[in-house]
Amino acid sequence: MPVSSRVERPETAPEGPALPVNELFASLQGEGKLAGVPSTFVRTSGCNLRCWFCDSYHTSWDPTHAWMGVDDVVDEVDARDPTHVVLTGGEPLIHDESELLLERLADDYHVTVETNGTVVPDAPVDLASVSPKLSTSTPTPENAPDGVDVGAWEARHEERRIDLEALATLVERHAFQLKFVVTGPEDLPEIEELVADLRGVADAAIRDDDVLLMPEGQTREELAATRTVVADLALERGYRYTPRLHVDLWNDAPET
Ligand SMILES: C[S@@+](CC[C@H](N)C(=O)[O-])C[C@H]1O[C@@H](n2cnc3c(N)ncnc32)[C@H](O)[C@@H]1O
Ligand SMILES: Nc1nc2[nH]cc(C(=O)O)c2c(=O)[nH]1
Ligand code: SF4
Ligand SMILES: [Mg+2]
């Protein structure tokens, strides 16, 4: 079983550098090149995008969090004694204090940052897990989560979701994976085009092996409908497939 968070929930920021933390928990890395590795997750709240399918609704569409001093976050991580830490969100890199947290964790842990690739940190990162958002992620009145008024987010999301320069800098500076959320075969041409564009501008090798296709789905039931289609696309194209192990194991339970 995942280890539950013992984070208290003050609603106002403490003195000094702090982060809005939605969850802090131990689990298995469920996605990507390190799938299966026991890891401690720090999930910040707040995002500069609004994917209609966001599986972390309470960090994006309806952000909720406890404010934690960066020192307290480090203490909570230390208490779990992991080898691997995953900083995620929301979009963790919209918070300047995430850079301080990354500095503080760098010497003791292997740190993966899960990011949408629109913000470049000036901080040490062991694995940049970059998930650029395709046009099928854009929220519309038709696909929006129940009760959500998409409002200005349709245009804002569309305008912000791809920043080629930021993506190039991320892959140049860090070990990386490009992890695309795939809703179906119609996503493949867009992935091919983006990878080609990035290869054209980035001063770093991007191997097919660094490109991961991940099925869209927040629940086991949803994944059952997408995983085989996406696995077949990966096989056909020579890209890597990544499961969503945590969904297979714990479905959509929080803190997993
Ligand atoms: C919640 S996001 C947080 C990090 C960052 N904002 C991002 O999008 O990369 C964590 C990971 O979950 C993926 N994700 C979110 N919703 C998903 C869904 N419905 N199906 C598959 N993957 C999803 C994202 O693409 C990302 O790789
Ligand atoms: N187990 C588990 N693995 C993950 N890998 C990336 C995650 C994320 O939400 O960023 C995630 C997550 O939420 N849970
Ligand atoms: S970028 Fe990440 S956190 Fe933000 S809405 Fe999309 S999946 Fe959710
Ligand atoms: Mg997740």
Side-chain angles (χ1 to χ4, degrees), residues 41-207:
F41 290 77
V42 178
R43 188 184 306 284
T44 60
S45 193
C47 187
N48 57 346
L49 299 183
R50 290 291 184 280
C51 306
W52 68 267
F53 54 59
C54 183
D55 66 359
S56 302
Y57 180 87
H58 290 291
T59 67
S60 53
W61 291 104
D62 181 25
T64 52
H65 49 262
W67 281 97
M68 289 180 73
V70 170
D71 287 346
D72 293 340
V73 176
V74 174
D75 287 348
E76 288 286 342
V77 170
D78 288 344
R80 289 166 174 80
D81 195 23
T83 57
H84 288 65
V85 175
V86 181
L87 176 61
T88 185
E91 177 46 55
L93 300 179
I94 62 173
H95 308 292
D96 290 344
E97 293 76 7
S98 286
E99 293 181 341
L100 178 61
L101 178 62
L102 290 169
E103 295 280 358
R104 296 282 308 277
L105 296 172
D107 287 347
D108 296 328
Y109 305 108
H110 178 289
V111 182
T112 297
V113 178
E114 303 283 348
T115 176
N116 60 31
T118 62
V119 186
V120 178
D122 183 12
V125 171
D126 293 299
L127 177 63
S129 176
V130 184
S131 183
K133 291 300 175 295
L134 303 173
S135 57
T136 48
S137 70
T138 301
T140 66
E142 291 71 42
N143 66 20
D146 285 349
V148 161
D149 176 12
V150 166
W153 279 103
E154 182 170 1
R156 200 178 286 156
H157 179 100
E158 192 52 35
E159 184 192 314
R160 292 179 177 172
R161 65 184 173 79
I162 299 294
D163 180 336
L164 208 54
E165 206 177 313
L167 290 171
T169 308
L170 284 164
V171 303
E172 285 165 2
R173 286 193 188 163
H174 307 291
F176 69 91
Q177 60 193 13
L178 295 172
K179 188 175 56 162
F180 292 97
V181 176
V182 182
T183 60
E186 64 281 7
D187 287 338
L188 199 59
E190 204 176 323
I191 294 170
E192 299 274 50
E193 195 182 328
L194 182 58
V195 170
D197 289 350
L198 199 50
R199 283 179 172 144
V201 297
D203 193 12
I206 300 168
R207 301 166 303 158

